[in-house]
């Protein structure tokens, strides 16, 4: 379904605000697309996870506990990045996305922003 003129203007305003706030991030999304950006982030997290395993094993072999702990923390951090990157990917954020969060999880920042956006649209349409 095509966007109305009002929606197109709002989208352009949001894009300009994104460029003004974080031009590096905006250009990264513009050049490659959100799906590619998300996929790359997940691959980087997987590579970091492998580095964490190497640190963990190297620390065990060298009997350096602190290296093993650092390796575990790297693995944990990369696993969290990969899972959140996978879940927050382009699926669920787009033209067919629901305005309310799923009842089984807490509302995140993006969900709250979508709810506010939907309320503003509804208020504007009601005028």
């Amino acid at each position: 379904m095509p966007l109305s003129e009002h929606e197109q203007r709002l989208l352009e305003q949001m894009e300009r605000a994104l460029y003004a706030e974080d031009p590096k991030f905006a250009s990264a999304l513009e050049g490659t697309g959100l799906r590619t950006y998300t996929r790359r982030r997940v691959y980087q997290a997987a590579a970091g996870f492998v580095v964490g395993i190497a640190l963990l094993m190297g620390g065990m072999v060298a009997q350096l506990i602190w290296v093993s702990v650092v390796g575990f923390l790297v693995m944990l951090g990369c696993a969290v990045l990969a899972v959140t990157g996978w879940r927050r990917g382009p699926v669920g954020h787009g033209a067919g996305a629901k305005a309310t969060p799923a009842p089984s999880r807490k509302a995140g920042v993006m969900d709250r922003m979508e709810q506010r956006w939907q309320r503003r649209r509804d208020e504007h349409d009601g005028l």
Side-chain angles (χ1 to χ4, degrees):
M1 175 192 321
L3 297 175
S4 70
E5 289 181 32
H6 177 70
E7 291 171 332
Q8 288 176 352
R9 279 182 289 172
L10 290 174
L11 182 60
E12 289 172 4
Q13 288 175 352
M14 290 171 59
E15 288 175 354
R16 283 193 299 268
L18 177 63
Y19 274 105
E21 185 177 320
D22 194 352
K24 184 178 177 183
F25 178 70
S27 63
L29 290 180
E30 180 186 66
T32 60
L34 185 58
R35 186 176 301 269
T36 304
Y37 175 77
T38 304
R39 188 177 300 135
R40 186 177 345 147
R41 181 176 169 198
V42 170
Y43 289 151
Q44 289 171 346
F49 189 84
V50 171
V51 169
I53 290 174
L55 286 171
L56 179 74
M57 299 302 282
M60 290 174 61
V61 169
Q63 294 182 350
L64 297 171
I65 300 296
W66 66 272
V67 174
S68 296
V69 170
V70 168
F72 176 76
L73 293 175
V74 168
M75 288 171 49
L76 183 64
C78 289
V80 168
L81 281 176
V83 170
T84 58
W86 194 264
R87 284 186 184 168
R88 290 184 187 165
V91 178
H93 295 292
K98 294 181 181 179
T100 57
S104 62
R105 62 184 173 102
K106 292 183 178 180
V109 172
M110 289 302 296
D111 292 324
R112 289 193 304 265
M113 288 176 60
E114 287 177 1
Q115 288 174 347
R116 289 178 189 156
W117 180 258
Q118 187 64 36
R119 278 194 304 251
R120 288 179 185 155
R121 286 185 60 202
D122 292 342
E123 290 172 4
H124 177 73
D125 291 341
L127 295 177

